[in-house]
Amino acid sequence: MVGAPSADPNGSYSGSSYVVFGGDFTGAVTALGTAAADKLKGSKAVDRIVAGDGDDTLIGRGGADVFHGGGGDDVIEIRDVDFQLADGGAGTDTLKLDRSHLDLNLADERGRISDIEAVDMTGQGHNTLTLTALDVLNLSSTSNTLQVDGNHNDRVVGLDSGWSDGGIADGYHTFTNGEAVLLVGVQVTTDFA
């Protein structure tokens, strides 16, 4: 809403206000979500995918895509690590590695991944997630915990020392390093212990 106190629609500086409706006026957004749970798919070109408030799935086809999750528990699917931005938004959000032989190094991705609380590497082939305690602390603005799921061919690699083994509970191996908590699915190989 825009106010115009000196406008004259009813005479002598009576003032007025105007409602401006938002939208994608530049065409920069290639897939736009709603308040419902949407499945938003990109193309082989560079995509800008913006979710709404539902539990959305944002699917990239590779390349320099930009993903903005909204409210809700969103899943952002990537086919390579060439994306420009993956922002989960509010909720408990997952970054899913949708191809095999991907090596996602969170230290290299600082500033490009935000508000992600889980990484899912399940599927065919093998994937590697490389991280430090600082990466876990900075990955989400609401949590110091990262949950990692995957298959027996997948690996989590730590670049720093100081991780403590908290044992296995509810299908996850718990590692802590200061305030950072890492929950790794029991099928995933780690180099922490």
Side-chain angles (χ1 to χ4, degrees):
M1 183 176 289
V2 177
S6 298
D8 261 342
N10 296 317
S12 189
Y13 299 107
S14 58
S16 189
S17 60
Y18 304 93
V19 177
V20 179
F21 293 96
D24 178 28
F25 301 116
T26 64
V29 175
T30 54
L32 183 62
T34 66
D38 299 309
K39 183 177 264 189
L40 306 167
K41 294 181 182 179
S43 65
K44 291 184 180 179
V46 175
D47 291 298
R48 306 285 186 268
I49 302 174
V50 179
D53 287 335
D55 294 342
D56 302 305
T57 302
L58 293 72
I59 303 170
R61 301 285 188 212
D65 295 333
V66 173
F67 304 95
H68 287 283
D73 300 337
D74 302 317
V75 176
I76 298 173
E77 296 183 11
I78 59 170
R79 289 192 172 180
D80 58 38
V81 294
D82 297 327
F83 59 91
Q84 290 183 47
L85 179 72
D87 178 3
T92 302
D93 303 300
T94 302
L95 184 65
K96 179 170 178 48
L97 308 186
D98 200 28
R99 285 275 168 100
S100 62
H101 298 79
L102 294 182
D103 185 0
L104 181 64
N105 186 330
L106 294 181
D108 294 342
E109 306 301 330
R110 288 184 187 149
R112 294 193 321 154
I113 301 175
S114 60
D115 285 317
I116 295 294
E117 289 76 30
V119 174
D120 183 356
M121 299 188 290
T122 57
Q124 299 178 4
H126 66 274
N127 292 301
T128 302
L129 175 64
T130 305
L131 53 80
T132 66
L134 182 62
D135 296 324
V136 173
L137 293 173
N138 290 334
L139 201 54
S140 172
S141 62
T142 60
S143 173
N144 290 334
T145 300
L146 177 64
Q147 177 179 311
V148 180
D149 291 295
N151 299 331
H152 67 278
N153 291 329
D154 298 320
R155 295 176 11 158
V156 175
V157 179
L159 293 178
D160 54 358
S161 59
W163 291 95
S164 298
D165 187 338
I168 297 173
D170 300 321
Y172 289 93
H173 204 140
T174 301
F175 299 95
T176 58
N177 189 334
E179 297 295 316
V181 178
L182 183 62
L183 303 174
V184 181
V186 293
Q187 292 186 358
V188 179
T189 302
T190 67
D191 74 347
F192 296 108

